[in-house]
Amino acid sequence: MRSLLSIRTRGVRRAGAALVLGALLLAPATPAAVAAPAAAPLPADRHQPEGDPDVLRDAAPRGLFVGTAVDMAALANDPVYRERVGAEFSSVTAENVMKWETLQPERGRYDFAAADELVEFARANGQRVRGHTLVWHNQNPAWLAEGDFSRQELRAILREHIHTVVGRYRGQIWQWDVANEIFDDEGNLRQNIWLETIGPDYIADAFRWAHQADPRAQLFLNDYNIEGVNAKSDAYYELARQLRREGVPVHGVGVQGHLGVQYGFAPDTTANLQRFAALGLRTAVTEADVRIPMPADTVELQAQAQGYSSLLTACLRTPRCDSFTVWGFTDRYSWVPDWFEGEGAANLLDEDYNPKPAYREVLETLALASGRGRD
Ligand code: G3I
């Protein structure tokens, strides 16, 4: 079994001593306290046996939180969107507004306005919040992405960001995607500013600092193309095992679940999630959507339903898979068409908020899992 020390960092190899040094560096200085909204207790599982079984959050079995990524512009400007986010989901994830480019657009200047809005919306709707994301190669502001920092400087910048952000929402954010998309599809650590300047111990550092800032938050690794057993999910399995052996507070692994009907669906998602569970980890489906080459026909819409079902069923069959989150729920607001030319229709509802076969499949599966088979 490869250890973290031996995990290949293509083009960048750090002596074991650097890893040990990273682990032993002094506890971070806590930055100036940032006024944090009063931390309310996390919403209990609002699952209402007598609730409306025709909405996802109430159809779900107790302990499974059904979530969506939230587009804050749509939440502010589209009343139907806002109503559906509150009614259908028991968990929300910031699609973009908890990323570095929004939270710290200039060095040392934080902008929490949009993130605060989401946390307040969640509180008002009895929803949990998944924080997304503390360390990533994408959506970093120019001052960070193009900065020329020493190892010590960049570690201090990362430490301060994590302590400031996670500390602000202490007790209000259920789970954090701490490290996002840190491996490539071959199972090598992805080249990013963190690896190139700090070295691989940035990963353990990020988890330790997040845990210091909010000991109750559950801290996740998160990535795409790790739904099934493959070189990439193997790398996460090994990393998680090694970090936990070193006492690093890694609590879970999120499989994003960005699928496409044209590629088929991994047959071993359940086995994959269950092997992480066997390590003592929580798991989650964090960003499910199933894109379709347009125009979508009825067969592809049915295949899409099966794609969502493959992810949800794997989660339902895995102990401590606590949440199933879709990456947007209506085709009216989806990242897919902007990123995959000629593809779209990836969500549970169409552009007019009408349920698609995928929505019905997810609702049915949740209801069956609740033992409330539907008449
Ligand atoms: O905020 C600017 C706006 O000011 C500008 O006018 C507009 C037009 O250029 O761009 C806006 O920024 C966009 C941002 O979303 C906010 O809407 C970026 O261009 C756009 O690239 C960015 O896309 C996001 C993408 O991550 C970036 O990688 C998607 O909305 C978001 O859904 C997607 O989410 C990621 C997860 O965080 C990680 N997993 C994969 C997933 C899909 O890529």
Side-chain angles (χ1 to χ4, degrees):
M1 283 283 196
R2 290 182 305 168
S3 73
L4 184 63
L5 294 176
S6 68
I7 284 179
R8 296 186 305 283
T9 55
R10 197 180 58 242
V12 174
R13 184 174 296 281
R14 294 283 175 174
L19 284 173
V20 173
L21 174 65
L24 296 177
L25 281 167
L26 295 179
T30 306
V34 175
L42 287 175
D45 177 357
R46 205 192 75 169
H47 173 92
Q48 305 287 347
E50 68 288 350
D52 176 358
D54 288 334
V55 292
L56 300 175
R57 70 184 293 174
D58 288 342
R62 182 174 301 284
L64 180 70
F65 289 82
V66 183
T68 183
V70 177
D71 175 327
M72 294 305 289
L75 194 74
N77 303 320
D78 182 337
V80 177
Y81 180 93
R82 189 178 186 92
E83 188 278 329
R84 293 306 290 269
V85 172
E88 293 279 354
F89 300 100
S90 48
S91 175
V92 290
T93 303
E95 182 174 9
N96 286 297
V97 300
M98 289 190 185
K99 294 170 179 174
W100 274 74
E101 66 179 6
T102 302
L103 289 185
Q104 196 180 167
E106 292 151 35
R107 185 173 180 180
R109 181 176 73 82
Y110 291 87
D111 182 352
F112 291 111
D116 284 355
E117 273 179 47
L118 182 62
V119 170
E120 175 49 31
F121 179 87
R123 188 199 58 74
N125 288 278
Q127 297 165 317
R128 292 195 173 179
V129 181
R130 296 198 81 258
H132 177 82
T133 180
L134 298 175
V135 180
W136 194 23
H137 64 275
N138 206 348
Q139 289 182 270
N140 292 314
W143 71 264
L144 176 68
E146 297 156 18
D148 180 19
F149 302 110
S150 70
R151 181 175 186 277
Q152 189 176 4
E153 269 182 319
L154 193 58
R155 280 192 86 242
I157 287 168
L158 179 57
R159 180 176 60 203
E160 181 196 314
H161 183 84
I162 291 175
H163 268 270
T164 302
V165 172
V166 178
R168 180 182 186 84
Y169 298 112
R170 184 185 180 107
Q172 300 182 84
I173 289 190
W174 175 39
Q175 297 179 339
W176 273 104
D177 290 335
V178 173
N180 193 51
E181 303 175 9
I182 61 172
F183 282 111
D184 64 23
D185 283 346
E186 291 68 47
N188 300 303
L189 282 176
R190 180 195 290 264
Q191 295 304 303
N192 59 37
I193 56 171
W194 313 108
L195 179 69
E196 287 157 6
T197 304
I198 296 173
D201 53 335
Y202 82 89
I203 303 165
D205 284 343
F207 278 90
R208 288 195 178 100
W209 292 332
H211 188 61
Q212 286 165 4
D214 186 352
R216 286 190 299 170
Q218 295 171 15
L219 306 179
F220 276 63
L221 295 158
N222 186 54
D223 211 331
Y224 61 88
N225 288 356
I226 59 170
E227 293 76 29
V229 178
N230 56 42
K232 192 173 186 179
S233 60
D234 285 348
Y236 277 100
Y237 181 85
E238 187 52 36
L239 174 67
R241 196 174 63 84
Q242 184 71 20
L243 289 174
R244 284 171 67 85
R245 182 182 289 168
E246 293 168 3
V248 177
V250 179
H251 305 124
V253 173
V255 300
Q256 293 182 5
H258 292 295
L259 307 180
V261 296
Q262 66 272 41
Y263 305 118
F265 313 122
D268 51 5
T269 303
T270 301
N272 185 43
L273 293 187
Q274 289 181 351
R275 69 169 171 165
F276 285 107
L279 286 180
L281 288 161
R282 295 175 185 274
T283 54
V285 174
T286 55
E287 307 184 14
D289 51 27
V290 184
R291 59 187 186 270
I292 299 175
M294 300 301 280
D297 64 30
T298 51
V299 172
E300 289 164 328
L301 288 167
Q302 202 52 48
Q304 179 183 60
Q306 293 315 308
Y308 276 99
S309 180
S310 73
L311 295 168
L312 177 56
T313 304
C315 181
L316 289 165
R317 294 180 60 194
T318 300
R320 304 208 309 167
C321 181
D322 305 315
S323 64
F324 177 83
T325 295
V326 293
W327 204 247
F329 64 95
T330 168
D331 295 337
R332 178 173 296 210
Y333 307 100
S334 168
W335 68 288
V336 167
D338 292 339
W339 287 75
F340 298 97
E341 190 173 346
E343 298 184 41
N347 296 129
L348 297 175
L349 306 181
D350 70 16
E351 296 188 345
D352 297 319
Y353 296 97
N354 299 309
K356 296 154 70 175
Y359 177 87
R360 294 189 186 90
E361 178 70 24
V362 167
L363 190 66
E364 289 285 336
T365 304
L366 290 170
L368 286 171
S370 300
R372 298 164 23 134
R374 298 156 50 74
D375 47 32

